[in-house]
Amino acid sequence: MEISAGIQASLPGRYASALFDLAAEDGVVTAVESDLDKLDAALAESGELRAVTSNPQISRVQQGQAIEGVATVLGLSDLTKKFLAVLAQNRRLSTLPGMIRAFRIIAAAQRGEVTAEVTSAHALTDEQLETLRQKLTAREGRTVKLSHSVDPDLLGGLVVTLGSKRIDGSIRTRLNSLAQAMKA
């Protein structure tokens, strides 16, 4: 498996890579990925949890106890619980969101998937998203997973970011290009 040098060089990437290797060795990559999704959702929803993971005034022991309680409530696997305990012991819980992102990228690369971030002016239907996913999969030659968000400032159209490629078909960009052309 080839992992980008940028991921391997970053602290969150090194931890995510180690977790992925352990999960692959035990055959529980999907379970760990699911655990990290639950944890990511919990971090997004709870300001208190974010504070516990990022506050340097909270001791290692207190962080460890708090994250162990959260892991138990979320029903996380043993490997994920042990990983979180190591993070708490090493004072690395504050970098957990980056580790989750890096793990997702590593797991997707292992499966031959790529994630496309799609931003539209209005919410897209499931049918529209599926059609877009199929077209991107055909274009890329590998499975594409979509991450969709809405930005009303686009006015219309789509912006698709696929790795380092960006396809900008938004009306906002077209209007800006037209305005620049008229100034010249």
Side-chain angles (χ1 to χ4, degrees):
M1 168 183 62
E2 184 181 319
I3 303 170
S4 80
I7 290 175
Q8 288 180 328
S10 70
L11 178 77
R14 289 193 306 268
Y15 273 92
S17 183
L19 176 61
F20 182 84
D21 290 344
L22 290 170
E25 198 174 284
D26 291 349
V28 294
V29 172
T30 305
V32 170
E33 195 168 14
S34 174
D35 288 348
L36 294 178
D37 287 343
K38 291 177 193 174
L39 196 54
D40 194 34
L43 283 166
E45 291 175 18
S46 174
E48 291 173 349
L49 180 56
R50 283 191 306 275
V52 165
T53 60
S54 61
N55 188 341
Q57 295 177 331
I58 298 175
S59 74
R60 294 171 198 242
V61 173
Q62 291 171 322
Q63 280 186 328
Q65 290 170 341
I67 203 69
E68 182 181 341
V70 169
T72 301
V73 168
L74 293 176
L76 305 183
S77 68
D78 287 339
L79 179 59
T80 306
K81 287 180 183 178
K82 289 176 186 174
F83 177 72
L84 292 172
V86 168
L87 293 181
Q89 184 61 38
N90 294 340
R91 304 285 286 170
R92 300 289 190 223
L93 283 173
S94 62
T95 59
L96 190 56
M99 289 176 201
I100 292 170
R101 279 190 302 277
F103 188 92
R104 286 177 179 153
I105 291 168
I106 293 167
Q110 178 66 22
R111 290 189 299 264
E113 295 176 349
V114 65
T115 300
E117 296 176 22
V118 178
T119 306
S120 61
H122 307 287
L124 298 176
T125 66
D126 290 341
E127 184 179 315
Q128 290 170 323
L129 288 170
E130 180 58 23
T131 301
L132 180 60
R133 188 194 64 72
Q134 288 174 358
K135 288 185 180 194
L136 290 171
T137 297
R139 176 184 171 153
E140 291 299 310
R142 54 187 172 162
T143 305
V144 175
K145 288 177 68 176
L146 295 181
S147 170
H148 178 250
S149 62
V150 175
D151 180 3
D153 291 340
L154 293 180
L155 302 175
L158 298 173
V159 176
V160 178
T161 306
L162 190 64
S164 62
K165 299 178 224 166
R166 186 177 190 117
I167 304 164
D168 192 339
S170 67
I171 292 176
R172 175 181 64 189
T173 300
R174 291 180 186 173
L175 288 174
N176 287 341
S177 298
L178 183 60
Q180 291 299 325
M182 292 177 75
K183 287 182 182 176

